[in-house]
Amino acid sequence: GPMIEAIGLSKFYGNFAASRNVSFSVPRGQVAAFLGPNGAGKSTTMKLLTGFLAPSEGVAKIGGFDVAKQRIEAARLIGYLPENGPLYNEMTPQSLLQYSGEARGLSSAKLRERMEFVADKCSLKEVWGKSIGKLSRGFRQRVGMAQALLHDPEVLILDEPTSGLDPNQTFQVRDLILSLSKTKTILLSTHILTEVKAVCGRVILINQGRVILDGPVSEMEGAT
Ligand code: ADP
Ligand code: ADP
């Protein structure tokens, strides 16, 4: 079955629907873009998919597990990069990852091995012991990616992974995503069409909380 499934997801704030009856599914191994302008409902829908927010209606499933009812099983499969990266300014990449791994219940041997792996994969060695608050946006984003990857999840949900990065930092993060795309199922949000073309085969277009188009990137180019 699909690795990521939104089944009629809605989120209401009073009468306002940040997400409205959103349905789509992403099969194993696919890299799908969640494309839409600011305020379209991308972050809200991603929080519904990761279990950070409870839906007003609908069901979110990851790897077949209902994120509301089978939280532990779903969380094990999900690596989530939140919108603004890690907010723990006083921590170092090392202390943040140590803390995250312990919170996830990784054994100390496994955690040591995973920290080594993500530090290398996300090119964090030179900032390993520095305060996160003092790092450039590009490094902060890679710390967020390392945190999302720490438990070796099968699914990555990445909220605007290159937003606010300069061209060089953007290239590095895209390169990382491309290398991850060989083994993971990925949903990444963006408001930039070139981002979609650079890394994704599939695009889910969202506006005013609704999915308005869903298909291969080539199909969307014909439609816009
Ligand atoms: P995107 O990620 O596409 O920029 P968001 O999901 O962040 O969009 O927001 C979608 C809409 O929902 C926006 O109009 C936003 O202002 C609104 N919204 C998001 N969170 C809340 C909230 N907690 N309360 C009220 N409105 C919200
Ligand atoms: P809890 O209420 O269990 O302490 P949180 O409020 O921190 O959990 O997060 C709620 C849910 O969001 C978790 O059950 C998990 O599904 C998801 N979640 C939290 N952190 C991450 C993460 N780093 N990667 C993926 N999913 C996460």
Side-chain angles (χ1 to χ4, degrees), residues 50-52 71 75 78-80 104 151:
T50 54
F52 266 95
R71 288 172 62 94
I78 305 170
Y80 174 51
R104 282 193 172 274
H151 56 297

Side-chain angles (χ1 to χ4, degrees), residues 13 16-19 36-47 53 83 159-160 189 206 209:
Y13 293 108
F16 174 76
S19 299
N38 287 325
K42 302 182 297 296
S43 292
T44 301
T45 304
M46 287 182 143
K47 287 179 197 158
L53 266 182
E83 199 170 6
D159 197 348
E160 302 249 4
S189 69
I206 183 172

Side-chain angles (χ1 to χ4, degrees), residues 49 55 58-75:
L49 286 168
V59 174
K61 289 188 180 177
I62 298 293
F65 296 112
D66 181 327
V67 301
K69 292 183 179 152
Q70 296 166 291
R71 288 172 62 94
I72 293 169
E73 293 88 344

Side-chain angles (χ1 to χ4, degrees), residues 4 31-35 42-43 46-47 49-50 78-85 141 144-149 153 155-163 173-174 176-178 180-181 184-191 195 199-200:
I4 303 172
V31 182
F34 207 19
L35 176 68
K42 302 182 297 296
S43 292
M46 287 182 143
K47 287 179 197 158
L49 286 168
T50 54
I78 305 170
Y80 174 51
L81 176 74
E83 199 170 6
N84 295 308
Q141 205 65 337
M145 289 293 296
Q147 194 179 14
L149 289 171
V155 173
L156 293 174
I157 296 191
L158 309 176
D159 197 348
E160 302 249 4
T162 64
S163 102
V173 170
R174 274 189 197 158
L176 172 60
I177 293 168
L178 280 172
L180 293 166
S181 72
K184 312 279 185 195
T185 304
I186 302 177
L187 178 67
L188 74 87
S189 69
T190 180
H191 58 275
E195 179 97 346
V199 292
C200 304

